[in-house]
Amino acid sequence: MLLHLHVKNLALIDEAEVDFTEGLNILTGETGAGKSILIGSINLALGQKASKSMIREHAEYAFVELVFEAGERTAEKLKQMDIFPDDGQVIISRKLTGNRSICKINGETCTVSMVKQAAFYLLDIHGQHEHQSLLYPEKQMEILDAYGKEEIQKKREQVQKDYETYKALRKELEQYEIDEEQKKRQMDFLAFEISEIEDAKLKVGEDEELEAQYRKMINAKRITESLSEVYELTGYEREGSSEQIGRAVRQLSQVSELDDDLKGIYETLNDIDALLSDFNRELSSYLSGFQFSQEEFLETEERLNLLNHLKSKYGASIEAVLEYKQEKEEEYEALEHFEQNQAELKRKIEEQETVLQKQCECLTKSRKKWAKSLEKEIIEGLQELNFLDVAFEIVFEEKAEFSSNGKDSICFFISTNPGEPKREFQKVVSGGELSRIMLAIKTILADKDEKETLIFDEIDTGISGKTAWKVSEKMAVIAKSHQVLCITHLPQIAAQADSHFLIEKSVKELETQTKIWRLDEEKSVEELARMLGGESITETVLSNAREMKEMAQQQKNTRVK
């Protein structure tokens, strides 16, 4: 359930905070007051595309925060996303700054896609023109599959899996659609690449060893000069360190026998002399071994160039080059046995087609079973929404080709008048009828999905009179088991409100602002009167508004009993 909405610096809204309640939350206001901005702010927080123009004039940023109370089942689904409600609450926020936006869930920064996924479990928003999507077969299929829930979903996943296998086999077969000349050219090219790599006799790690050796060779002169100078400074020639320390050891040995306190010092210096002697022997050995010919240098350089050439063509490392060679050997072998492999692949495709066809038939069977149930529920729902004599049918056709969604093509057919044949939606229904149909479908799917919050943005398009009462009654029924937020222009729907909010636009210090607040009983009646009578609110209009409110309450009480 959506508990709280906080909006700051968004379009016409300077700052607004709203506490929503259980049941039916109605939002009304004059045209242009900013009702859609409020619903838009919820969409924005839940991942809708953002732009700099949404930020209020002269403001540095825009901010939207939603506080949800997650039910037990919703909380379990969120935990699978590593979202853990704090005291049963989930806080989603989004801050827009220039061309950047930062999303957070319970204070932790997250991606927009993660917010969208969480929103899927928390609420369902029906936009102003969403009912138009009912005209498209893809949306109709989506509705049927959502209604069939786990059973259809499971079969769809199996079809998708088998279809991916089928598609991969078909793609592999495309490689065999070449003539004999193309085949020969490919084999010659593969043979050349394989031979080039084989002739190099590559060894894993060889390049790193050669690079280290090459660095030593290229810097040989500098290394030799530095080490020779070190040897002279620390050795026995030209008064080197070893010569000087040796003399110091001899001098100290003569006096250490005269004073016991000098024996420790003598031993330390003697150890230094031994260490330096060892150092000089190692250094002399390194210098004597640090010799190579110009021929060795050229061989090393040539080998490195070859390795780097192969790596530039076939892979970033010797391991990658060898893997590339193995792949090409497999391709060459496949071409060597071209006809046999082609025949084997065709056999596998035929087998997979049989498997896929069977799974598609299972999916179709399941969809048809659920379609009968959905047809019945939609007819019942439409009758409750003042379609007095309605016929509805989901018509199936089989597509010629496989797809990841099976081979089904469906279309919703309807007749809203007695004696008329059922036809596709786009040939029959009006905008108002589409709104009611979508409301009926949303109601059915809401019970299936168990989403706690439903938002309807101007669901009353093209509706009036008795139909408006039917829609308002339907809204009130839905609100018994769900939290409903509804923007409406119809007083019949607004009269059913458990909580009535007014959205109003005003000008303050030459700035336009949108504000929202909850109306008490009397103010709600006054707002209903405005919706009934426009600017001229007479006692008669107020009386009518009060009577409408009382009738709505009586209907609620009757339904509760």
Side-chain angles (χ1 to χ4, degrees), residues 210-438:
L210 284 174
E211 283 168 4
Q213 187 177 340
Y214 185 73
R215 279 196 302 271
K216 288 170 71 173
M217 289 178 169
I218 205 78
N219 294 299
K221 183 179 178 183
R222 182 180 172 188
I223 292 170
T224 303
E225 288 176 352
S226 295
L227 292 183
S228 296
E229 186 175 352
V230 170
Y231 185 77
E232 287 178 5
L233 291 170
T234 60
Y236 292 95
E237 299 176 359
R238 292 174 49 190
E239 296 293 318
S241 300
S242 293
E243 172 63 24
Q244 302 240 13
I245 291 173
R247 286 165 54 189
V249 168
R250 291 192 293 272
Q251 287 290 333
L252 193 55
S253 68
Q254 296 173 10
V255 295
S256 62
E257 296 176 358
L258 305 177
D259 185 350
D260 290 341
D261 292 341
L262 293 174
K263 288 183 178 180
I265 297 174
Y266 169 73
E267 289 172 359
T268 300
L269 188 60
N270 202 37
D271 290 342
I272 292 171
D273 185 42
L275 285 170
L276 193 56
S277 295
D278 291 342
F279 169 76
N280 276 293
R281 279 193 296 274
E282 288 181 23
L283 188 56
S284 176
S285 175
Y286 182 88
L287 280 167
S288 62
F290 192 62
Q291 296 177 4
F292 54 87
S293 65
Q294 184 66 17
E295 185 180 351
E296 286 179 296
F297 176 78
L298 291 175
E299 286 177 358
T300 302
E301 187 174 49
E302 187 178 344
R303 181 65 176 171
L304 263 180
N305 287 338
L306 173 62
L307 297 183
N308 289 330
H309 170 68
L310 293 175
K311 289 196 290 186
S312 68
K313 285 181 70 175
Y314 304 124
S317 65
I318 289 180
E319 291 93 332
V321 174
L322 292 172
E323 286 175 9
Y324 181 87
K325 172 177 167 284
Q326 185 177 351
E327 289 174 8
K328 297 306 160 184
E329 285 174 337
E330 291 171 359
E331 288 181 27
Y332 187 88
E333 186 181 356
L335 287 171
E336 272 191 318
H337 304 89
F338 184 85
E339 287 76 14
Q340 302 95 305
N341 290 338
Q342 187 182 47
E344 176 63 16
L345 202 51
K346 287 180 178 178
R347 185 189 65 78
K348 287 182 178 179
I349 289 173
E350 287 177 4
E351 287 181 353
Q352 189 61 26
E353 278 184 350
T354 302
V355 170
L356 185 54
Q357 179 65 33
K358 183 178 178 182
Q359 294 300 335
C360 286
E361 288 171 1
C362 287
L363 177 58
T364 301
K365 184 178 179 181
S366 183
R367 278 176 172 155
K368 286 183 176 180
K369 181 188 80 173
W370 285 98
K372 290 299 178 185
S373 177
L374 180 59
E375 287 171 356
K376 182 180 177 182
E377 286 205 49
I378 287 178
I379 290 170
E380 290 174 355
L382 293 178
Q383 287 171 344
E384 292 173 1
L385 291 172
N386 207 33
F387 283 90
L388 300 180
D389 197 333
V390 62
F392 177 82
E393 183 182 2
I394 300 175
V395 176
F396 281 75
E397 288 185 6
E398 183 176 332
K399 292 188 288 189
E401 299 294 330
F402 292 111
S403 75
S404 60
N405 199 26
K407 296 186 77 174
D408 296 323
S409 173
I410 71 166
C411 187
F412 287 0
F413 277 64
I414 195 169
S415 169
T416 56
N417 296 305
E420 287 188 357
K422 294 187 287 290
R423 295 177 183 173
E424 301 96 319
F425 272 16
Q426 60 264 41
K427 295 180 180 179
V428 181
V429 295
S430 64
E433 287 173 327
L434 270 179
S435 295
R436 282 184 284 164
I437 295 167
M438 182 59 93

Side-chain angles (χ1 to χ4, degrees), residues 529-542:
R530 181 198 65 77
M531 297 170 77
L532 283 167
E535 292 183 7
S536 177
I537 302 175
T538 64
E539 283 299 323
T540 302
V541 175
L542 277 170

Side-chain angles (χ1 to χ4, degrees), residues 20-209:
F20 295 108
T21 66
E22 295 180 351
L24 184 57
N25 295 260
I26 293 294
L27 296 89
T28 62
E30 293 279 5
T31 301
K35 299 186 295 298
S36 293
I37 294 174
L38 201 70
I39 297 300
S41 68
I42 296 174
N43 273 315
L44 185 65
L46 298 177
Q48 189 182 62
K49 189 175 179 181
S51 68
K52 186 177 179 180
S53 61
M54 295 178 175
I55 302 174
R56 184 173 170 81
E57 191 74 22
H58 308 306
E60 295 181 0
Y61 67 92
F63 179 78
V64 184
E65 182 179 71
L66 308 175
V67 181
F68 291 92
E69 183 178 64
E72 190 174 323
R73 294 190 180 183
T74 302
E76 284 302 317
K77 291 173 182 175
L78 292 173
K79 286 174 184 176
Q80 293 172 10
M81 297 175 56
D82 289 331
I83 298 173
F84 298 92
D86 187 5
D87 290 333
Q89 292 188 352
V90 177
I91 301 174
I92 297 176
S93 65
R94 191 174 185 188
K95 184 177 182 179
L96 303 182
T97 309
N99 293 322
R100 295 180 56 201
S101 72
I102 298 173
C103 298
K104 292 185 178 183
I105 298 178
N106 287 347
E108 293 187 10
T109 304
C110 62
T111 61
V112 171
S113 62
M114 191 173 180
V115 171
K116 287 181 177 179
Q117 190 178 350
F120 177 80
Y121 298 120
L122 291 166
L123 81 173
D124 181 39
I125 300 179
H126 177 79
Q128 290 187 38
H129 308 293
E130 187 185 344
H131 53 271
Q132 296 294 331
S133 65
L134 275 177
L135 300 176
Y136 302 101
E138 295 83 4
K139 181 65 176 179
Q140 296 170 5
M141 180 70 81
E142 182 185 319
I143 289 167
L144 174 58
D145 286 356
Y147 181 75
K149 216 173 177 183
E150 289 90 352
E151 182 182 328
I152 290 180
Q153 180 62 28
K154 187 176 179 180
K155 287 182 170 59
R156 269 186 62 178
E157 288 172 358
Q158 186 59 53
V159 167
Q160 287 169 354
K161 182 181 176 181
D162 290 332
Y163 177 73
E164 289 303 317
T165 303
Y166 172 75
K167 190 167 68 170
L169 289 170
R170 289 292 298 267
K171 187 174 182 181
E172 190 177 347
L173 184 62
E174 289 174 7
Q175 298 173 10
Y176 287 85
E177 294 176 359
I178 56 174
D179 57 32
E180 192 63 30
E181 184 61 31
Q182 285 178 302
K183 174 188 164 185
K184 186 178 182 304
R185 282 199 303 269
Q186 282 190 26
M187 290 184 72
D188 289 344
F189 184 67
L190 289 169
F192 167 77
E193 291 188 320
I194 293 166
S195 177
E196 185 178 29
I197 298 171
E198 272 183 350
D199 292 345
K201 295 182 172 57
L202 300 177
K203 296 177 183 176
V204 174
E206 179 188 7
D207 51 345
E208 296 174 359
E209 292 177 8

